[in-house]
Amino acid sequence: MTTDDCIIIGGGPAGLTAAIYLARYHLRVRLFDSGSSRAAMIPRTRNHAGYPDGIAGKDLLALMLEQAEKYGVERQAVRVERLRHDDEGFALATEDGDYRARSVLLATGVVNHRPRHLLPEVHDPALERGLLRYCPVCDGYEVTDKKVGVIGTGDHGVREALFLRSFTRDVTLIAPEAEHALDPACAAKLDEAGIARVNGPCGNYAIEQNGQGEQLAFDTARGRMAFDSVYPALGSRIRSHLAVEAGARATDEGCLEVDDHQRTSIPGLFAAGDVVKGLDQISHAMGEAGVAATTIRNMLGDQRPLWR
Ligand SMILES: Cc1cc2nc3c(=O)[nH]c(=O)nc-3n(C[C@H](O)[C@H](O)[C@H](O)COP(=O)(O)OP(=O)(O)OC[C@H]3O[C@@H](n4cnc5c(N)ncnc54)[C@H](O)[C@@H]3O)c2cc1C
């Protein structure tokens, strides 16, 4: 079995950026990707610098892959199932066989929790049309002065509703399942910001027309409500289990802890992008990946010269 210089797990913005850097350092790189990048869900990103008219997430990924392929990287559409660290480096088990590497970069991202009862046949067109959104940092600007619903409660729901309040005065926080769970301080902040509160459960989602255009409508404890855009604030599943099972340190939520060179607590195992604690943004994922790739190159060069 050959040993790669680096195996990258994940082909989103973080993994693809690292692949471009590592291949251009003349290293032997392998990229595994199971094909569910969050970036592929972006109808059109408008805050990613360099694209004045925005770019669809899928198009951005395709351009990055094309760039990586130019330097010899092949994206293998394969899920990595296990990762083990030993004296010689790393052993990986995948759906199609076993592999070895001197270093590993984990760029596996996160998965947003979706509202229960929001079926894919409504979810996907609503997302495509901007009626459903998952990232106020990314697209809060697009809901300026619109009618916005936030499905969530507790600290997380309140934080998201307050964040959105700087884009529009019409924000409602709807509890996903039953009554809101809010401590007095949270309730006071909502009142001060003029954010309405409605109890759940939320259900029976549909895209509906009003005089001005389309809205996402659903049932609540206060009856049927409709919004220009709805943000689920229900947290996410961090895809860090491969590293955590190998012994890497993570936060309570599962975000990998790294130092300022993207090194996890396991020597030779690096992490970048949403799977790491920090701002979940394309630019941040790319920046972290550039740092990780260069640190990997320097680490491998310290172990044995990389002279041509
Ligand atoms: C609706 C929406 C809109 C957004 N809009 C913007 C925006 O406008 N601007 C912005 O900057 N950000 C935006 N984001 C956030 C952005 O998509 C993420 O920050 C970015 O995709 C993170 O990149 P990543 O490489 O860390 O993870 P991802 O892009 O999620 O890629 C991770 C990859 O790892 C793969 N993977 C996971 N586990 C395995 C495994 N075991 N084996 C092999 N492969 C695996 C997955 O299949 C996936 O392809 C948005 C997100 C969403 C959901």
Side-chain angles (χ1 to χ4, degrees):
M1 189 190 303
T2 56
T3 299
D4 294 305
D5 289 321
C6 184
I7 291 182
I8 300 167
I9 311 175
L16 287 169
T17 300
I20 294 164
Y21 274 60
L22 289 166
R24 286 175 49 84
Y25 291 143
H26 295 299
L27 294 171
R28 181 202 282 266
V29 187
R30 196 181 291 276
L31 174 71
F32 290 121
D33 182 42
S34 58
S36 57
S37 166
R38 278 216 310 154
M41 294 170 63
I42 310 174
R44 183 161 285 266
T45 169
R46 296 184 186 276
N47 75 342
H48 187 59
Y51 298 91
D53 297 320
I55 180 167
K58 284 193 175 119
D59 293 345
L60 181 63
L61 289 170
L63 286 170
M64 294 179 73
L65 179 60
E66 185 186 328
Q67 191 173 350
E69 285 173 343
K70 211 172 185 161
Y71 299 104
V73 179
E74 190 198 337
R75 172 186 169 275
Q76 291 176 246
V78 161
R79 173 180 303 281
V80 177
E81 284 167 349
R82 267 186 322 285
L83 172 67
R84 192 166 48 78
H85 181 229
D86 57 30
D87 291 345
E88 271 105 62
F90 294 89
L92 289 86
T94 77
E95 294 164 328
D96 80 343
D98 296 336
Y99 295 84
R100 288 208 60 93
R102 296 171 67 195
S103 64
V104 168
L105 173 69
L106 202 85
T108 42
V110 306
V111 182
N112 293 112
H113 295 310
R114 297 178 176 196
R116 238 163 34 105
H117 313 302
L118 176 49
L119 302 174
E121 50 268 36
V122 179
H123 179 281
D124 296 355
L127 187 72
E128 187 59 37
R129 296 177 213 178
L131 305 175
L132 183 71
R133 300 177 179 273
Y134 280 93
C135 178
V137 171
C138 312
D139 51 24
Y141 184 88
E142 272 63 50
V143 302
T144 299
D145 296 333
K146 299 269 175 76
K147 182 176 180 187
V148 168
V150 176
I151 298 181
T153 191
D155 282 354
H156 183 55
V158 170
R159 259 199 323 275
E160 194 131 325
L162 288 170
F163 187 86
L164 282 158
R165 182 63 182 81
S166 64
F167 299 96
T168 174
R169 57 178 63 239
D170 193 346
V171 180
T172 305
L173 181 64
I174 309 114
E177 300 299 341
E179 294 197 358
H180 272 294
L182 298 174
D183 62 33
C186 279
K189 281 186 200 155
L190 292 176
D191 290 343
E192 193 189 348
I195 295 173
R197 299 196 275 286
V198 173
N199 288 328
C202 302
N204 199 15
Y205 293 87
I207 296 173
E208 292 180 358
Q209 288 283 342
N210 73 0
Q212 273 91 57
E214 289 181 326
Q215 291 188 312
L216 184 60
F218 51 95
D219 294 339
T220 70
R222 197 182 285 175
R224 197 139 182 90
M225 300 188 79
F227 299 92
D228 299 326
S229 276
V230 174
Y231 285 84
L234 302 170
S236 37
R237 176 169 61 83
I238 319 296
R239 288 195 281 212
S240 57
H241 62 280
L242 290 171
V244 170
E245 282 160 22
R249 248 196 325 268
T251 65
D252 290 344
E253 304 88 64
C255 295
L256 290 177
E257 291 179 15
V258 294
D259 68 7
D260 54 9
H261 287 80
Q262 304 303 129
R263 292 180 277 231
T264 70
S265 56
I266 298 179
L269 177 62
F270 293 73
D274 287 359
V275 74
V276 170
K277 190 171 164 51
L279 187 68
D280 289 353
Q281 288 286 280
I282 296 168
S283 56
H284 198 57
M286 290 176 166
E288 289 185 341
V291 171
T294 307
T295 311
I296 289 169
R297 183 242 166 252
N298 291 342
M299 179 195 78
L300 296 177
D302 286 345
Q303 289 169 3
R304 86 173 74 121
L306 299 173
W307 317 143
R308 283 178 81 72

